[in-house]
Amino acid sequence: NAGVTQTPKFQVLKTGQSMTLQCAQDMNHNSMYWYRQDPGMGLRLIYYSASEGTTDKGEVPNGYNVSRLNKREFSLRLESAAPSQTSVYFCASRAGTANYGYTFGSGTRLTVV
Amino acid sequence: AQSVAQPEDQVNVAEGNPLTVKCTYSVSGNPYLFWYVQYPNRGLQFLLKYITGDNLVKGSYGFEAEFNKSQTSFHLKKPSALVSDSALYFCAVRDPSGGYQKVTFGTGTKLQVIP
């Protein structure tokens, strides 16, 4: 019963470095999402993928790219990390219809110095 | 544009007392409403949802929420709080008439249950 698995759990980057956050779900969900959580701001949507082969921007996409590698996997890439990208990143998935709740991963705590 | 507000950053309640965590929303159509709970260093967990029908919805861990259309509210409630209920609670709203994927989360309310 793995659900949504995110790696790594923690990461420290230097400004300008790049990295990819990995996310995989084993529930056969169509939709996958990347959120960032910052104190006092709730969760903000970075990118989402409504189905395999499609990706779309959310509220705060600047500085990020995504890849929906297959139905299970949805990765988030920071090409040139900035201190403003210090945050906790959550991947989530959802079954096909919009009235289902999300299943979240346990998060990646990223610090950019 | 849709929005959701959680007016209290923190709610303190004594163990065994009833608890309420407030949420109000703004959408142009009929809302889909959700509550999630986040324990320390964990992802959010789905608690309950309102889509249509009975205004009182029941969810996991003994929680329930009441949808009030006239007051545009969806408050989370529990008759008797447990220390283990201490966590961060998020309300979320989706306007079905808007984007398929657009869900807006509140800023969260920290619930502290005092033994």
Side-chain angles (χ1 to χ4, degrees), chain B residues 11-109:
Chain B
V11 170
N12 297 320
V13 63
E15 186 178 23
N17 282 3
L19 69 88
T20 299
V21 182
K22 296 180 180 178
C23 172
T24 59
Y25 66 88
S26 175
V27 299
S28 57
N30 293 317
Y32 290 178
L33 294 156
F34 306 85
W35 276 102
Y36 290 84
V37 59
Q38 184 180 30
Y39 298 101
N41 300 314
R42 302 289 296 277
L44 280 71
Q45 296 178 32
F46 171 74
L47 271 181
L48 52 80
K49 65 182 179 184
Y50 171 83
I51 304 300
T52 187
D54 195 346
N55 288 344
L56 185 65
V57 294
K58 295 186 183 299
S60 307
Y61 311 121
F63 283 93
E64 58 189 26
E66 186 170 12
F67 171 64
N68 187 318
K69 188 172 184 177
S70 63
Q71 296 185 4
T72 62
S73 66
F74 189 56
H75 300 331
L76 181 70
K77 301 180 180 184
K78 188 174 182 181
S80 178
L82 300 172
V83 172
S84 57
D85 293 330
S86 298
L88 191 58
Y89 291 81
F90 289 92
C91 182
V93 64
R94 192 181 93 78
D95 182 351
S97 65
Y100 172 77
Q101 306 292 343
K102 177 65 173 175
V103 173
T104 300
F105 285 84
T107 53
T109 298

Side-chain angles (χ1 to χ4, degrees), chain A residues 23-32 49 51-53 68-74 93:
Chain A
C23 175
Q25 52 92 8
D26 61 1
M27 297 167 288
N28 202 37
H29 286 173
N30 289 322
S31 303
M32 297 186 73
S49 171
S51 61
E52 184 179 355
R68 183 74 182 266
L69 304 171
N70 47 55
K71 192 170 186 178
R72 292 186 63 248
E73 298 172 285
F74 187 41
S93 69

Side-chain angles (χ1 to χ4, degrees), chain B residues 6-12 21 88 108-114:
Chain B
Q6 293 181 244
E8 302 155 316
D9 290 336
Q10 181 159 335
V11 170
N12 297 320
V21 182
L88 191 58
T109 298
K110 183 178 181 180
L111 174 66
Q112 190 76 37
V113 181
I114 303 163

Side-chain angles (χ1 to χ4, degrees), chain A residues 19-21 34 46-48 55-57 60-68 74-80 85:
Chain A
M19 78 161 295
T20 300
L21 281 64
W34 277 104
I46 305 171
Y47 271 92
Y48 66 93
T55 61
D56 284 287
K57 296 178 180 179
V60 288
N62 291 345
Y64 305 96
N65 284 300
V66 290
S67 295
R68 183 74 182 266
F74 187 41
S75 62
L76 178 72
R77 183 161 178 83
L78 287 70
E79 291 290 352
S80 179
Q85 294 178 305

